[in-house]
Amino acid sequence: MDKVWLKQYPKGISAEIDANAFDSVAQVLEKSCTRFADKPAYTNLGHTLSYAELDRLTQDFASFLQNTLGFSKGDRIAVMMPNLLQYPVAIFGILRAGMVVVNVNPLYTPRELEHQLKDSGAKAIVIVENFIETLEKVIDSTPLAAVITTQVGDMLPLAKRTLVNFTLKYVKRVVPKWNIPGGTISFRDALSKGHATPMTPVALTHSDIAFLQYTGGTTGVSKGATLLHGNIVANLQQASAWMSTLTEDGKEIIITALPLYHIFALTANCLTFMKIGAQNVLITNPRDMEGFVKELSKHRFTAFTGVNTLFVGLLNTPQFHELDFSSLKLTLGGGAAVQKAVAQQWKQVTGKPLSEAYGLTETSPAASMNPLDLPDHNGSIGLPLPSTIFSVRDDNNQEVPIGTPGELCIKGPQVMAGYWNRPEENAKVFTDDGFLKTGDVAKCDEQGYFYIVDRKKDMILVSGFNVYPNEIENVVASHPGVLEVACVGVPDEKSGEAVKIFVVSKDANLTADDLKTYCKDNLTGYKVPRHIEFRNELPKSNVGKILRRELR
């Protein structure tokens, strides 16, 4: 496909990025910590770490992994926590030690956590005590050699740390009693031990793995997208170049409400804005909308990222309308389609447009973005980012004409190396000429803007999180009262899509509530079916395959 989109590039944006400007994500961090040493880096629960403090603490954690635990370059370290100051300290420490970050959703069920730890071969996990009960149930069947625990307030000054941790543990009682065989080490002790011995610098290249970022699979199990340092560095270069018309190094304040373990916030907020010396305001519990808005009122924020459901929640919170948006330059929506009505209301309330972007876990994630100077939401996913090629193809892998729908395929330096230990999946997802098949049906207009028309695969997108029907079906089918089950996505005003299951029961007494309870025990909250319909039979093909398309 001719790069027709280049004609629409904003002034000053080059068609190509310099992917070799940095050897690794660790080098990006080190340069920012030197250049912006005295500036605020990450803020959470009323406390801020400067870039200089971030530099020291990440070296301490890297040293602990190397010298106290004796781990080596390439070892996988899991991180299971919400947005806290411990998160950037942990992941940057892991990367500086030459090791691999395995991001884990804190809301995982024991089944999901066990799979990810075993599949990744993680040697250690950094986990917030609030969620350690989940780990306790499966640790004996995992390869973990060390468990590093942290409490929510651990990075706060002494008085506030003591108050926050005491309140959560003994007043709100959100920290369960737990017992990990072999014991654990606290995050604060880990930093103290690491501080006693210098970190050993590790030579990293673009071919070294930075993250195993897990996403759903067609087989019903989560699989790890292997994101190399080269992939992430390229995406940081692409995103920062695209935003350079609006942002100034060392002067931005970005609100990070999306979870950092999700690829969108990880790259867009935690990493890209770190690269330009911005202050990241980490929101631990964005579901508390009033508390969230109260935190927003304390900052003259210049940038904001979110998914459609987050924007809806804020716009329906009266106090949000009273905020001062005069400093806001950039609002970026992704993870799921931004609804036009939401974008229009956002502009009406804030006075600033809501720009839409597109990406996948497999593309680190940013692949396309709308020009940031567009006055209004246009319904497209924008233009391919610099050094990125989009190709729309038919079922025979042949490119289709402009305006014709087909499967969107992507090539660029941000595209993953492949799925971790999944050669059969890699063979399915990459074309012979090196394009990643996204499973999304798209079309390109004559100006080079791309539009998502439908999804070729059966994936369901709930508030920006991928849900794969096979996984839901496997769990529901394991219920003794279920004969057959099929799972589809249905439109939902709040979350974009919601999970619906169709069930043929073999127990006349089986209820929807029974199944929801069963699913809550085995699936993360956003995967739990919101709608359940019982049927006498499910539509099938002539070979007996359940036809999800007919059910949709």
Side-chain angles (χ1 to χ4, degrees):
M1 177 176 283
D2 292 333
K3 297 180 182 179
V4 292
W5 54 83
L6 293 180
K7 296 177 182 177
Q8 307 301 321
Y9 264 32
K11 187 177 180 180
I13 305 294
S14 172
E16 303 291 332
I17 49 101
D18 179 8
N20 296 313
F22 300 92
D23 295 333
S24 66
V25 182
Q27 189 181 69
V28 177
L29 170 74
E30 289 158 4
K31 289 192 175 183
S32 285
C33 286
T34 299
R35 185 181 173 196
F36 306 109
D38 296 331
K39 292 191 175 294
Y42 292 90
T43 297
N44 178 242
L45 300 177
H47 184 61
T48 299
L49 294 179
S50 69
Y51 277 91
E53 290 171 315
L54 184 67
D55 184 27
R56 174 179 57 80
L57 291 167
T58 55
Q59 288 193 59
D60 291 347
F61 193 63
S63 171
F64 169 75
L65 296 173
Q66 294 172 328
N67 301 313
T68 304
L69 296 184
F71 293 160
S72 304
K73 179 181 177 180
D75 285 343
R76 275 81 63 202
I77 312 296
V79 179
M80 186 173 179
M81 69 173 76
N83 292 2
L84 298 168
L85 292 175
Q86 294 92 306
Y87 182 87
V89 173
I91 68 156
F92 289 135
I94 294 166
L95 295 173
R96 295 184 83 171
M99 298 168 199
V100 179
V101 176
V102 181
N103 275 309
V104 180
N105 185 336
L107 300 181
Y108 268 171
T109 63
R111 180 189 67 85
E112 294 166 318
L113 176 60
E114 179 184 4
H115 164 71
Q116 189 163 323
L117 294 177
K118 289 169 72 173
D119 188 76
S120 65
K123 282 198 169 185
I125 186 169
V126 186
I127 183 170
V128 175
E129 286 187 2
N130 304 48
F131 309 105
I132 203 165
E133 206 172 27
T134 307
L135 177 64
E136 189 177 5
K137 293 175 181 176
V138 299
I139 190 168
D140 289 342
S141 58
T142 71
L144 293 176
V147 177
I148 302 150
T149 62
T150 187
Q151 298 181 73
V152 167
D154 273 358
M155 297 302 294
L156 305 177
L158 177 60
K160 190 168 185 178
R161 175 171 77 241
T162 304
L163 177 62
V164 168
N165 290 342
F166 180 88
T167 301
L168 292 177
K169 195 166 190 175
Y170 298 107
V171 180
K172 295 189 176 182
R173 298 186 182 278
V174 294
V175 180
K177 292 182 179 179
W178 51 272
N179 178 43
I180 297 294
T184 66
I185 186 166
S186 76
F187 191 71
R188 290 187 61 80
D189 284 347
L191 293 175
S192 178
K193 289 177 182 291
H195 188 69
T197 311
M199 175 193 82
T200 303
V202 178
L204 292 166
T205 69
H206 281 197
S207 60
D208 288 310
I209 303 173
F211 295 90
L212 286 185
Q213 195 72 19
Y214 276 74
T215 185
T218 54
T219 57
V221 295
S222 185
K223 56 189 186 291
T226 304
L227 301 180
L228 308 178
H229 279 272
N231 298 143
I232 300 294
V233 165
N235 212 216
L236 300 188
Q237 290 289 85
Q238 291 165 322
S240 57
W242 198 260
M243 296 187 303
S244 63
T245 56
L246 286 182
T247 58
E248 292 183 75
D249 288 3
K251 294 186 178 180
E252 306 304 328
I253 301 174
I254 183 164
I255 302 299
T256 301
L258 298 180
L260 289 169
Y261 56 78
H262 189 280
I263 189 65
F264 182 11
L266 171 66
T267 303
N269 296 48
C270 186
L271 302 180
T272 301
F273 277 84
M274 172 274 293
K275 176 181 178 287
I276 65 170
Q279 177 183 2
N280 250 284
V281 180
L282 306 181
I283 307 299
T284 304
N285 181 20
R287 293 188 178 187
D288 172 14
M289 280 292 165
E290 290 190 8
F292 182 9
V293 172
K294 185 177 180 181
E295 183 65 23
L296 289 176
S297 69
K298 299 175 184 176
H299 306 278
R300 293 186 62 81
F301 54 92
T302 63
F304 199 108
T305 62
V307 293
N308 194 77
T309 49
L310 182 71
F311 299 131
V312 169
L314 288 169
L315 290 168
N316 285 312
T317 303
Q319 298 92 322
F320 180 74
H321 295 242
E322 300 169 8
L323 294 177
D324 177 6
F325 299 103
S326 60
S327 298
L328 182 61
K329 304 176 183 177
L330 165 67
T331 305
L332 193 63
V338 174
Q339 295 168 345
K340 186 175 183 179
V342 174
Q344 289 174 337
Q345 190 180 0
W346 182 269
K347 185 176 180 182
Q348 182 181 355
V349 171
T350 68
K352 310 295 169 63
L354 199 170
S355 301
E356 188 164 358
Y358 169 84
L360 307 162
T361 302
E362 292 87 344
T363 57
S364 300
S368 68
M369 202 178 296
N370 273 285
L372 301 178
D373 57 359
L374 289 183
D376 294 298
H377 181 262
N378 61 9
S380 84
I381 59 170
L383 311 170
L385 290 175
S387 299
T388 305
I389 302 173
F390 277 15
S391 178
V392 181
R393 301 184 176 190
D394 62 21
D395 289 340
N396 296 315
N397 200 37
Q398 298 299 306
E399 203 158 68
V400 299
I402 292 285
T404 304
E407 182 170 10
L408 180 60
C409 302
I410 301 174
K411 181 185 282 188
Q414 75 273 46
V415 175
M416 68 171 183
Y419 294 117
W420 178 253
N421 293 334
R422 294 257 195 276
E424 71 289 347
E425 291 283 339
N426 293 333
K428 294 176 186 176
V429 79
F430 284 104
T431 65
D432 290 341
D433 57 345
F435 279 80
L436 173 77
K437 296 192 285 186
T438 67
D440 286 322
V441 177
K443 64 180 181 180
C444 177
D445 67 18
E446 292 182 353
Q447 283 72 46
Y449 283 88
F450 285 79
Y451 298 79
I452 298 297
V453 178
D454 198 358
R455 270 198 298 281
K456 186 175 182 179
K457 53 192 177 184
D458 289 322
M459 182 188 78
I460 304 163
L461 205 57
V462 180
S463 297
F465 287 90
N466 296 349
V467 177
Y468 286 80
N470 281 1
E471 180 183 14
I472 313 304
E473 291 169 358
N474 288 343
V475 168
V476 176
S478 67
H479 189 287
V482 172
L483 178 65
E484 289 182 332
V485 59
C487 174
V488 302
V490 294
D492 185 272
E493 285 188 7
K494 185 178 179 183
S495 58
E497 283 187 296
V499 177
K500 178 173 182 176
I501 55 173
F502 297 84
V503 175
V504 178
S505 67
K506 54 185 177 183
D507 179 354
N509 296 317
L510 182 67
T511 68
D513 285 341
D514 293 336
L515 288 177
K516 285 187 178 180
T517 299
Y518 186 75
C519 288
K520 286 176 182 176
D521 290 338
N522 290 278
L523 294 165
T524 311
Y526 64 85
K527 299 179 186 176
V528 174
R530 191 173 299 173
H531 308 282
I532 298 177
E533 182 177 324
F534 288 95
R535 289 196 172 191
N536 292 326
E537 60 180 355
L538 299 178
K540 297 182 178 72
S541 69
N542 56 1
V543 295
K545 183 179 180 181
I546 293 174
L547 300 173
R548 292 187 187 129
R549 187 172 294 277
E550 285 195 17
L551 291 170
R552 276 196 295 269

